[in-house]
Amino acid sequence: MKLKASLLGAVALSTMATMAFADPALIYDMGGKFDKSFNEGAYTGAEAYKEASDGDYRDFEISEEAQREQAVRRFAEEGNNPIIATGFAYSSILDAVSQEFPDLTFVTIDGWVEQPNVLNVGFKEDQGSYLMGIFAAMASKSGTIGFVGGMDIPLIQKFACGYVQGAKSVNPDIKVIQNMTGTTASAWNDPAKGAELTKAEIDQGADVIFHVAGGTGVGVLQAAADAGVLGIGVDSNQNGLHPGSVLTSMLKRADIAVEKAMTEAAAGTLEAGVWSLGLEDGGVDYAMDDNNKDLVTPEMIAAVDAAKAAIIAGEVEVHDYMSDNACPVM
């Protein structure tokens, strides 16, 4: 039996006591399992593991900050292994709990924990967003494009920097308007605010807008579609949310990371350390399907694929904002 978001607090956590001990566990970040973005990508990976292995997994959707530690600790007490948490906000919790349960393996996706039983999974988001910048600059008719981020943190600035760099590789004079939704975790689940920021960017001339805002991005894409401009999705393939209005989506393959971690754990081969997934291994990419095929020209595909190959070959270096918290093109 899977835990639902409606089973809160002690009731939800006590239910875990009936669960099998060896199953992996997945804990989502704020925004919910079906956020059409990062959390849903992780869920998709867990479902892929379940289907391929005939195994099972446990999962939990938090609805308040206090549940982060409660869920991690209870899954650990019940012996679920590995315990996978999506989002940087779990880092300090995993750092503490992993030391109390040295025989279990913990996985942080987008976080960082320096413990011998923690696997840190990160992505080269700047590479993927560089491609989104090329798409946006080539599709823009106004010479102005937009970016709506979720929580104002270095990780989201990393996306923004790559996006600007990619756009300026096409048009050095392009204008990129940027806004962040907020400074707390609620920034990931505020579609109304996302729509408001999008409308403001459109009023300033933006005709292509890339969101990196979790559940908030649903409002970004809706507002863009309503105004007749193009949106760009993120994390999962969001092209189908508004067919004909979403130019493409930057895929950040949390599904690959979760499925791989669960599969290796079941085989007894999962090791702590660091995974850094980028263009070269399919960790980030762009989405093409029937929903956006009429929006993307062969010239766009050629330019993006050329940039992708050059980045993989080391011929184009995308600036990593996380390395020095600065972006030379912004």
Side-chain angles (χ1 to χ4, degrees):
M1 158 173 63
K2 293 182 181 177
L3 294 175
K4 305 295 184 180
S6 58
L7 300 177
L8 303 178
V11 174
L13 295 175
S14 65
T15 304
M16 296 181 200
T18 66
M19 297 179 176
F21 285 84
D23 288 335
L26 174 62
I27 310 170
Y28 306 101
D29 206 350
M30 296 291 279
K33 179 193 304 187
F34 299 113
D35 63 352
K36 306 296 183 185
S37 190
F38 188 58
N39 286 332
E40 191 160 340
Y43 164 75
T44 300
E47 286 291 297
Y49 158 77
K50 180 179 178 179
E51 181 176 350
S53 68
D54 260 348
D56 205 351
Y57 69 95
R58 311 303 178 192
D59 67 349
F60 186 70
E61 297 177 77
I62 66 168
S63 58
E64 55 188 60
E65 289 298 314
Q67 291 179 311
R68 292 187 191 275
E69 182 171 357
Q70 292 172 359
V72 171
R73 187 170 296 281
R74 184 59 67 183
F75 277 134
E77 289 171 350
E78 296 301 326
N80 293 103
N81 192 39
I83 297 169
I84 305 171
T86 62
F88 74 95
Y90 287 98
S91 296
S92 61
I93 294 166
L94 293 179
D95 184 60
V97 178
S98 65
Q99 295 180 65
E100 299 175 31
F101 297 88
D103 295 331
L104 298 180
T105 300
F106 298 79
V107 181
T108 173
I109 301 182
D110 275 356
W112 183 258
V113 180
E114 295 186 24
Q115 294 298 339
N117 57 333
V118 178
L119 170 63
N120 296 276
V121 179
F123 296 84
K124 298 175 183 177
E125 296 92 352
D126 46 341
Q127 294 182 349
S129 55
Y130 185 99
L131 304 186
M132 299 305 102
I134 294 175
F135 274 118
M138 294 185 72
S140 177
K141 295 180 174 64
S142 68
T144 299
I145 60 176
F147 177 91
V148 176
M151 190 173 175
D152 190 358
I153 54 175
L155 176 63
I156 305 305
Q157 294 288 354
K158 180 181 180 182
F159 276 94
C161 183
Y163 180 60
V164 174
Q165 188 176 351
K168 287 185 177 293
S169 75
V170 174
N171 176 8
D173 297 322
I174 197 164
K175 181 179 179 182
V176 185
I177 304 169
Q178 300 180 49
N179 286 284
M180 298 293 178
T181 306
T183 58
T184 66
S186 63
W188 303 117
N189 195 27
D190 192 346
K193 182 67 173 180
E196 176 187 327
L197 293 173
T198 301
K199 292 172 184 176
E201 293 188 358
I202 292 169
D203 287 344
Q204 296 174 71
D207 58 357
V208 185
I209 298 174
F210 177 33
H211 90 83
V212 185
T216 297
V218 174
V220 174
L221 297 179
Q222 180 69 63
D226 290 346
V229 305
L230 295 172
I232 296 179
V234 77
D235 295 338
S236 298
N237 183 352
Q238 299 182 320
N239 297 352
L241 292 182
H242 299 281
S245 292
V246 180
L247 179 61
T248 187
S249 297
M250 192 205 105
L251 303 177
K252 179 175 173 179
R253 301 298 300 273
D255 58 327
I256 289 178
V258 170
E259 182 181 7
K260 179 177 171 64
M262 289 185 174
T263 300
E264 290 191 6
T269 59
L270 183 66
E271 297 182 354
V274 179
W275 292 352
S276 182
L277 308 179
L279 289 173
E280 68 278 7
D281 44 31
V284 297
D285 212 332
Y286 65 90
M288 286 296 302
D289 56 29
D290 286 344
N291 295 303
N292 70 331
K293 65 181 182 180
D294 294 333
L295 300 174
V296 176
T297 66
E299 291 76 18
M300 290 179 194
I301 292 294
V304 168
D305 284 348
K308 180 178 175 180
I311 292 169
I312 292 173
E315 297 166 1
V316 170
E317 182 178 353
V318 183
H319 180 78
D320 182 359
Y321 182 90
M322 303 290 280
S323 65
D324 59 9
N325 285 1
C327 184
V329 294
M330 294 169 68

